[in-house]
Amino acid sequence: MTRKPAAERHLDSAPADQDWPPSGGDLIDALIAVHHPARRRLYEILAVDGPANVGQLAQRTGMAVGSVSHHLKRLHRAGFVLPAPELAQDTRQSWWRGVRRRLAWSADDFLPGSISRDIADVAERNNLEHHTRTTAAWMRDRSGYPAPWNELGFSQDGLDRVTPDQFAELEQELGDLLSRWQERCRTDAEDHPDVERMPVRIVCRAFPSDPGAA
């Protein structure tokens, strides 16, 4: 049997709709795709560290090659990764690159008791668990990082009474600040590729909270 060229191998998993951000059923598909622990890990590797082939991803994650390929197809269909056939040295290699996406949703946008609402609820829980896992991993492993990375990392918190408009203002300002900072970092990485860098995870959280709650 003739093996398909690299450029044609993943046409079956190509997204039907290229628009972003997704809505309706496409949004649900995106939530299912990226909020799976294995797929979230693969997506972040490709988005942060650049293109890789299936074999490299399997070696880095400890997953079987077949599992990696399966998860990548789900991410591809949802628009989070793209094939990179131009990097393949032969027809046996399957290369992928991440597509940086911003995905916003609220479980309250879906009818209570609906399948879509259940999926959105699970996605929110999985997102929280992902942040918890990655934070715990940093606390566990940071002593093994080289200086000065082992001394970096911070957390900030506050608790105040605010209005809904003020809350929305905080969300907008934090999002704008993070977007500008990330763009500066990416531009600097392109201009100075030889400078030592390490992936840094930023998690911003703000939520109404009873100060008397335990």
Side-chain angles (χ1 to χ4, degrees):
M1 180 180 296
T2 303
R3 188 175 180 85
K4 290 182 180 180
E8 300 178 7
R9 198 175 305 155
H10 306 295
L11 295 177
D12 60 329
S13 61
D17 190 348
Q18 300 289 341
D19 291 338
W20 198 271
S23 60
D26 290 335
L27 173 58
I28 293 301
D29 290 341
L31 293 177
I32 294 173
V34 78
H35 289 292
H36 179 285
R39 291 194 283 271
R40 181 71 174 263
R41 190 177 179 190
L42 291 169
Y43 170 62
E44 291 191 347
I45 290 172
L46 292 171
V48 174
D49 290 343
N53 63 49
V54 171
Q56 291 170 338
L57 292 169
Q59 184 175 20
R60 181 165 177 179
T61 61
M63 288 189 277
V65 169
S67 294
V68 171
S69 294
H70 167 75
H71 289 310
L72 288 172
K73 285 183 178 295
R74 294 295 301 272
L75 289 168
H76 184 207
R77 190 170 290 113
F80 290 100
V81 302
L82 290 173
E86 71 279 5
L87 299 177
Q89 297 178 350
D90 58 53
T91 58
R92 294 173 297 176
Q93 290 186 338
S94 179
W95 281 79
W96 296 84
R97 58 167 44 91
V99 182
R100 289 185 176 272
R101 298 293 201 189
R102 298 194 65 163
L103 186 63
W105 79 99
S106 171
D108 293 333
D109 292 338
F110 304 97
L111 291 175
S114 66
I115 294 177
S116 296
R117 176 61 177 264
D118 290 343
I119 291 172
D121 285 337
V122 170
E124 288 189 352
R125 290 197 298 271
N126 287 351
N127 198 41
L128 174 60
E129 290 171 1
H130 177 72
H131 293 159
T132 301
R133 282 195 305 272
T134 53
T135 302
W138 159 249
M139 296 175 67
R140 182 190 67 231
D141 300 335
R142 64 183 176 183
S143 62
Y145 281 59
W149 300 105
N150 58 339
E151 298 178 356
L152 300 181
F154 65 88
S155 63
Q156 298 184 11
D157 63 82
L159 186 61
D160 291 283
R161 296 187 181 278
V162 302
T163 67
D165 288 343
Q166 290 167 335
F167 190 97
E169 180 184 16
L170 173 64
E171 180 182 11
Q172 183 66 49
E173 290 186 5
L174 286 175
D176 291 344
L177 174 63
L178 181 57
S179 294
R180 292 195 301 270
W181 179 79
Q182 288 177 312
E183 185 59 34
R184 289 198 302 270
C185 291
R186 293 167 191 163
T187 300
D188 185 69
E190 294 176 358
D191 294 340
H192 305 94
D194 297 330
V195 175
E196 180 186 13
R197 302 175 193 273
M198 181 173 287
V200 172
R201 186 180 304 278
I202 308 99
V203 179
C204 300
R205 292 196 177 278
F207 47 90
S209 179
D210 182 357

